[in-house]
Amino acid sequence: MDKVMRFICKSNSTLNLRQIELMESNSCRIEYTAKLGFYYIVEALSASHISDLNIFDSVSVPAKLKLADVSLFPQISNKPLKKEDYVGWKVKVAVIDSGLKTENGLNIIYSKDYTGNSHTIANNHGTQVAKIIQYFAPRACFINLKVSHDFEFSEDYVIPALDEAMDQEADIINLSFGILRKQLCIGNCVICDYVNKVSELGYTVITASGNEGVAGTGSVCCPGRAEKSITVGQVDKTGKNVSSHSGKGMPDLLKPNIIAPGEITVVIDKTYTYNSGTSFSTPVVAGVLASMFHLSYDRRTIISNLFSSARKLKSVADYHQGSGVLDLKNFLEVCAHDKSLSNKS
């Protein structure tokens, strides 16, 4: 029996009944319809079964993604945030990852599994990400969207998970994974395009620049190439250089937007776990922003201040470090002197 495959398909308009019937008569089934644009997850025996119908503008095989199987702790104290009561009261953070372990002090308000493995957690990647966010925003709550069971998952789970994050009214969406495509993406692949659409609706989407930096310039992974996401790279443990594996942009791709520590130590199940990578610098930025998103401040101004207060690394190209290294002390000082952020709520 031939194996049914899943494909990400894009049309220029909503499909009509005749087109749907034509697909069904040719053993093609729409498994999921995205909320934004005209994206569909379609099940079929092959890509040609779909493309031969001349219904879609593009038919792509979902990339297989890998989560970083690595771990240290960002040397940034959360005490300045706590002193100002910047703790992320009831801020909703969607973590699209390998699932969150419920017994580790995380305030999980909603969970959904896309893998078919229920809520059994096979690896700690997602829990590590959430614990880093919680370190900076201890009163934040989590939307747990599990798209990976082991260390791999399929790209076609991401669009439904992004839709669910919107349905659950997430304030911040954390995407700690990366795809290095064989055909160079200029920020317009299906996932980057969809992340841009989500961001345009006012959701703050934070993406990792990826861990392919040893390839040099132009190594930022998708969806970190999405123009409207906040893309985070990694500073090395000295704080003086971009980490060698941190995904790097190029002159016409000004990504990442900012870099942060990504070597972490996190206690999970009463045991210290260690990791390193842009997967873990990404939630540093997500956590710092979440800590302030409960305030009646304009979020675009908060993000702008985060960038303007970052510390530039000397002799490092802007398209390798973005605004520079996240500087929490300077960030809080800039916010304190910003007259448009004069009233807490």
Side-chain angles (χ1 to χ4, degrees), residues 105-264:
L106 299 170
N107 182 13
I108 303 170
I109 59 171
Y110 180 84
S111 294
K112 186 167 184 177
D113 168 60
Y114 293 88
T115 69
N117 290 284
S118 187
H119 297 296
T120 302
I121 307 302
N123 77 74
N124 289 327
H125 189 278
T127 307
Q128 289 172 324
V129 165
K131 293 285 282 186
I132 295 167
I133 295 169
Q134 183 192 49
Y135 173 74
F136 294 102
R139 299 302 180 185
C141 44
F142 291 94
I143 299 164
N144 171 26
L145 302 173
K146 182 185 174 186
V147 295
S148 170
H149 184 62
D150 41 34
F151 288 99
E152 293 187 349
F153 63 102
S154 187
E155 183 182 14
D156 50 303
Y157 293 154
V158 178
I159 289 177
L162 286 167
D163 282 349
E164 191 63 41
M166 291 189 291
D167 282 349
Q168 298 301 319
E169 300 180 337
D171 297 290
I172 292 172
I173 302 171
N174 189 96
L175 303 177
S176 283
F177 55 81
I179 311 161
L180 188 63
R181 299 190 184 280
K182 293 179 181 178
Q183 185 172 1
L184 185 64
C185 169
I186 56 174
N188 60 351
C189 70
V190 289
I191 292 302
C192 286
D193 186 49
Y194 207 73
V195 165
N196 282 333
K197 291 181 185 299
V198 173
S199 300
E200 286 167 358
L201 292 179
Y203 298 92
T204 300
V205 185
I206 306 181
T207 56
S209 71
N211 298 328
E212 304 295 335
V214 291
T217 293
S219 54
V220 172
C221 295
C222 303
R225 287 177 176 249
E227 178 187 359
K228 298 185 184 301
S229 73
I230 298 173
T231 303
V232 186
Q234 183 181 349
V235 66
D236 71 6
K237 60 184 178 182
T238 71
K240 297 179 180 179
N241 294 291
V242 177
S243 172
S244 60
H245 62 251
S246 178
K248 299 168 180 67
M250 47 193 175
D252 58 349
L253 178 66
L254 298 179
K255 292 281 185 174
N257 299 100
I258 194 168
I259 59 178
E263 293 196 39
I264 55 120

Side-chain angles (χ1 to χ4, degrees), residues 5-81:
M5 302 172 64
R6 286 160 59 101
F7 301 89
I8 303 175
C9 303
K10 182 181 181 182
S11 175
N12 59 15
S13 62
T14 303
L15 300 189
N16 58 43
L17 181 60
R18 184 191 66 79
Q19 291 171 315
I20 294 173
E21 290 176 344
L22 178 62
M23 290 176 63
E24 291 176 347
S25 66
N26 284 273
S27 302
C28 302
R29 186 179 77 87
I30 297 174
E31 198 274 332
Y32 185 82
T33 301
K35 296 180 183 297
L36 306 179
F38 307 106
Y39 288 99
Y40 301 86
I41 308 299
V42 177
E43 292 183 342
L45 294 177
S46 69
S48 62
H49 274 73
I50 305 171
S51 57
D52 288 349
L53 301 178
N54 294 317
I55 292 174
F56 297 102
D57 294 338
S58 67
V59 178
S60 60
V61 178
K64 298 301 180 183
L65 314 183
K66 278 186 174 289
L67 298 176
D69 183 18
V70 279
S71 267
L72 269 164
F73 206 59
Q75 300 300 311
I76 304 176
S77 173
N78 60 7
K79 290 181 180 179
L81 292 170

